[in-house]
């Protein structure tokens, strides 16, 4: 007998994509599924569409809530789920027919508490396969913390793929562990990468975790989403989050295993933020654009992390960018970012 899987879908301003998302879940080869649509006070017609789905399909339920953001919407989904296991699909993404089946087959075969797969990332009209670099493996309790978990914090070596996507959408999780240990998402308004913290909190309590080579989650590039839009406060938010992660890994005794990965992720965001500052120069003016890049390079936390990061992990192009940031070459950073935006 199959265990029931609750698929939680946070819904906010995704009216254009929601039908394809819901359709992809309804068409799963794994049939014991309930779908929990969480309408996070969406400003478009998503709320009414969710109600329509709930009326048409017995295995779909909808919860309307006051807007609280992605993390809080997922928490509402967890609290309304009845499945033995929980999967997450964002409202603007979709999944292949075998997504749930593949994850559950691996999970049941290995008697694990969670299973992580890969995904497919949108690149124009096509989707590029991003396999889990730790695919087809099983990790016992100690190995989960010391061998699997560090890979969620980012790249160690840019010459290869050695990081595991931290998004919860690539995994499936035991609801029993969530309930037993009261594991919930932080608000992304508090901690900007709430998925990573959820995974850390969850993995601290598992007995076994498995991975699969399945890549049936389709991650759509949607302009304006939290992770892709330029935010004026992004550096401050990323700094607060990174400081939180440093303290978290120290508390669970794995900071030495995660240190360079944490710095790598932070500096990747620094490079992206510099690129964003350059791209808005037509709105703020060249002088202001360069001044903002200067302020980033002089930020005390950026300076500290640059001094601690092992640049030998970088490819030549990224190493150049790192040195320009570290040595505060604001004009060259602006120029290189400009050229990159035109290529």
């Amino acid at each position: 007998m199959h265990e029931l899987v609750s698929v939680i879908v946070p819904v906010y301003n995704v009216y254009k994509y929601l039908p394809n998302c819901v359709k992809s879940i309804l068409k799963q080869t794994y049939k014991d599924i309930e779908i929990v649509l969480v309408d996070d006070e969406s400003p478009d017609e998503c709320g009414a569409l969710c109600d329509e789905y709930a009326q048409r399909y017995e295995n779909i339920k909808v919860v309307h809530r006051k807007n609280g953001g992605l993390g809080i919407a997922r928490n509402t989904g967890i609290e309304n789920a009845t499945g033995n296991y929980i999967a997450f699909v964002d409202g603007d993404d979709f999944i292949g027919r075998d997504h749930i089946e593949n994850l559950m087959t691996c999970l049941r075969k290995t008697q694990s508490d969670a299973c992580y797969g890969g995904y497919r990332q949108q690149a124009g009209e096509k989707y590029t396969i991003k396999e889990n670099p730790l695919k087809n493996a099983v990790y016992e309790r100690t190995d989960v913390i010391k061998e699997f978990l560090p890979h969620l914090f980012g790249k160690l070596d840019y010459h290869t793929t050695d990081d595991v996507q931290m998004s919860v959408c690539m995994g499936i999780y035991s609801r029993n562990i969530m309930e037993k240990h009261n594991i919930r998402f932080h608000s992304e308004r508090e901690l900007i990468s709430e998925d990573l913290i959820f995974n850390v909190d969850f993995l601290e309590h598992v007995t076994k975790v498995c991975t699969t080579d399945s890549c049936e989650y389709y991650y759509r590039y949607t302009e304006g989403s939290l992770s892709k839009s330029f935010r004026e406060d992004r550096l401050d938010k990323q700094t607060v989050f990174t400081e939180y992660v440093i303290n978290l890994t120290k508390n669970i005794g794995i900071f030495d295993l995660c240190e360079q990965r944490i710095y790598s992720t932070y500096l990747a965001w620094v490079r992206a933020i510099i690129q964003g500052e350059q791209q808005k120069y037509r709105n703020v003016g060249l002088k202001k654009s360069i001044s903002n890049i200067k302020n980033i390079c002089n930020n005390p936390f950026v300076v500290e992390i640059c001094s601690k990061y092992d640049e030998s992990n970088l490819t030549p192009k990224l190493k150049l960018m790192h040195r320009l940031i570290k040595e505060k070459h604001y004009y060259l950073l602006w120029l290189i970012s400009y050229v990159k935006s035109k290529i």
Side-chain angles (χ1 to χ4, degrees):
M1 181 178 179
H2 285 184
E3 296 91 346
L4 181 66
V5 175
S6 298
V7 181
I8 295 171
V9 183
V11 177
Y12 184 83
N13 208 23
V14 289
Y15 186 80
K16 177 181 178 180
Y17 306 107
L18 189 59
N20 191 37
C21 174
V22 173
K23 181 180 179 181
S24 73
I25 304 171
L26 288 169
K27 287 191 171 183
Q28 289 297 291
T29 55
Y30 190 96
K31 297 305 180 183
D32 291 326
I33 288 177
E34 71 168 2
I35 304 172
V36 184
L37 302 176
V38 183
D39 169 32
D40 195 33
E41 203 173 18
S42 185
D44 55 13
E45 298 301 315
C46 279
L49 185 57
C50 288
D51 287 335
E52 180 181 330
Y53 284 132
Q55 292 174 2
R56 289 174 56 189
Y57 300 99
E58 292 184 356
N59 64 331
I60 294 182
K61 65 173 69 172
V62 59
V63 183
H64 300 279
R65 58 157 293 119
K66 184 175 178 61
N67 179 258
L70 178 61
I72 305 305
R74 285 174 174 163
N75 290 342
T76 298
I78 293 171
E79 289 153 11
N80 285 272
T82 61
N84 305 92
Y85 295 92
I86 289 181
F88 301 93
V89 179
D90 287 345
D92 52 353
D93 296 334
F94 61 98
I95 54 179
R97 287 173 53 86
D98 298 328
H99 177 65
I100 302 297
E101 183 81 54
N102 290 345
L103 295 181
M104 284 299 296
T105 296
C106 182
L107 184 145
R108 288 182 300 181
K109 181 179 179 180
T110 59
Q111 296 183 322
S112 295
D113 299 309
C115 178
Y116 292 84
Y119 63 106
R120 300 178 190 234
Q121 184 168 6
Q122 187 175 15
E125 296 299 318
K126 298 181 180 179
Y127 284 83
T128 303
I129 294 177
K130 303 287 187 178
E131 284 192 326
N132 187 325
L134 304 180
K135 62 185 179 182
N136 301 326
V138 180
Y139 296 87
E140 302 287 347
R141 167 69 185 157
T142 302
D143 294 337
V144 169
I145 301 300
K146 293 187 176 182
E147 295 184 20
F148 177 79
L149 184 53
H151 290 264
L152 292 171
F153 289 94
K155 289 182 180 293
L156 180 61
D157 186 352
Y158 275 81
H159 299 89
T160 185
T161 301
D162 66 351
D163 58 313
V164 174
Q165 171 59 248
M166 66 177 179
S167 171
V168 295
C169 293
M170 287 82 204
I172 199 162
Y173 302 83
S174 164
R175 187 169 71 90
N176 179 57
I177 289 180
M178 293 184 196
E179 297 306 316
K180 182 178 180 180
H181 300 283
N182 193 30
I183 297 169
R184 296 292 186 271
F185 289 88
H186 289 264
S187 169
E188 70 277 7
R189 298 169 187 177
E190 173 193 356
L191 292 173
I192 201 165
S193 297
E194 75 284 358
D195 284 37
L196 175 58
I197 306 305
F198 177 90
N199 273 309
V200 174
D201 291 343
F202 183 90
L203 292 172
E204 281 190 88
H205 300 287
V206 300
T207 300
K208 190 184 298 182
V209 163
C210 63
T211 59
T212 173
D213 59 4
S214 176
C215 297
E216 290 301 308
Y217 188 94
Y218 288 75
Y219 178 74
R220 193 193 303 274
Y221 185 91
T222 308
E223 288 288 349
S225 73
L226 179 66
S227 61
K228 307 177 190 71
S229 58
F230 181 79
R231 296 174 48 143
E232 297 291 340
D233 64 347
R234 184 83 209 204
L235 183 61
D236 291 338
K237 290 287 188 181
Q238 206 66 45
T239 297
V240 168
F241 176 76
T242 302
E243 290 175 328
Y244 182 94
V245 166
I246 289 172
N247 290 328
L248 178 63
T249 53
K250 285 181 177 179
N251 289 338
I252 60 179
I254 59 171
F255 177 67
D256 59 325
L257 300 174
C258 306
E259 181 179 10
Q260 289 298 316
R261 293 181 184 274
I262 294 170
Y263 298 160
S264 170
T265 297
Y266 181 76
L267 292 173
W269 274 111
V270 170
R271 294 192 297 270
I273 293 165
I274 288 173
Q275 183 80 29
E277 291 291 353
Q278 182 280 316
Q279 290 177 358
K280 68 176 186 177
Y281 82 99
R282 292 186 183 277
N283 297 323
V284 303
L286 178 61
K287 185 177 180 180
K288 177 64 174 175
S289 177
I290 294 175
S291 176
N292 288 345
I293 293 174
K294 178 179 179 180
N295 291 337
I296 292 169
C297 294
N298 284 314
N299 180 285
F301 195 72
V302 173
V303 172
E304 178 186 351
I305 298 304
C306 278
S307 69
K308 294 179 177 179
Y309 182 62
D310 181 2
E311 66 176 34
S312 67
N313 292 318
L314 297 172
T315 59
K317 289 182 180 179
L318 292 179
K319 186 179 293 185
L320 172 62
M321 289 294 290
H322 175 73
R323 289 184 179 178
L324 292 177
I325 295 169
K326 189 175 181 179
E327 297 172 9
K328 303 179 177 61
H329 293 292
Y330 325 122
Y331 294 98
L332 277 174
L333 284 166
W334 190 95
L335 182 60
I336 290 174
S337 297
Y338 175 80
V339 172
K340 183 179 178 181
S341 69
K342 297 300 181 182
I343 297 176

